[in-house]
Amino acid sequence: MSFDIQLFHIQTMRDYENSNDEEFFEHVEKFTVFSDAQFKALKARLLSYDYEIIRTVDDTLHFKKSDAESSAVAYLTRYAIYFSAGFNPEDSFEISMTASEFTDTGEFAKFDPQLGEWEI
């Protein structure tokens, strides 16, 4: 089991809120794609938060928090960042706060799938 947080383009949040599709998150084609500049900025920001790239698969960058004791990971795709951590308070707090801080430009929205709540 893990604690998960997601970061999407703000338009994805709006589309979700206007949708009656209970399986919205199962259809990535409904998500707004990050611009190249946004993708590069998100990648740079993850690196500045001490996440390191551990592998690249297709268009997905796999990151791990560089602290050896941390279970925090992030997957940057063209349409979302998926944060995940074990159920310990430090790592859960880490990924939640990081995603919250990434909303500061107004371009992105944080989604907590455990609570079904958005933050902008």
Side-chain angles (χ1 to χ4, degrees):
M1 296 292 293
S2 63
F3 178 74
D4 302 306
I5 295 291
Q6 301 160 358
L7 189 82
F8 296 98
H9 192 286
I10 191 110
Q11 187 60 48
T12 298
M13 180 194 75
R14 292 181 184 129
D15 292 343
Y16 171 80
E17 290 176 338
N18 292 323
S19 170
N20 292 323
D21 185 356
E22 293 179 12
E23 297 179 358
F24 181 88
F25 291 110
E26 303 299 320
H27 306 284
V28 295
E29 65 275 4
K30 294 184 178 186
F31 301 171
T32 299
V33 176
F34 297 138
S35 70
D36 287 340
Q38 289 171 326
F39 185 87
K40 289 176 185 173
L42 290 167
K43 175 184 173 185
R45 198 152 183 196
L46 282 166
L47 292 169
S48 76
Y49 276 65
D50 294 326
Y51 283 83
E52 58 187 29
I53 298 172
I54 57 172
R55 118 180 117 199
T56 302
V57 178
D58 298 322
D59 286 341
T60 302
L61 301 178
H62 297 240
F63 292 83
K64 181 172 184 342
K65 188 74 173 165
S66 57
D67 176 359
E69 295 179 20
S70 177
S71 67
V73 295
Y75 307 99
L76 174 59
T77 70
R78 297 302 298 172
Y79 49 80
I81 300 178
Y82 297 97
F83 292 94
S84 187
F87 277 116
N88 68 59
E90 294 85 20
D91 291 344
S92 298
F93 179 77
E94 162 68 31
I95 66 170
S96 184
M97 288 306 300
T98 299
S100 291
E101 290 175 13
F102 281 28
T103 67
D104 64 351
T105 65
E107 300 170 90
F108 310 110
K110 170 186 164 184
F111 184 69
D112 181 334
Q114 287 82 206
L115 300 175
E117 295 178 352
W118 290 93
E119 176 186 328
I120 52 173

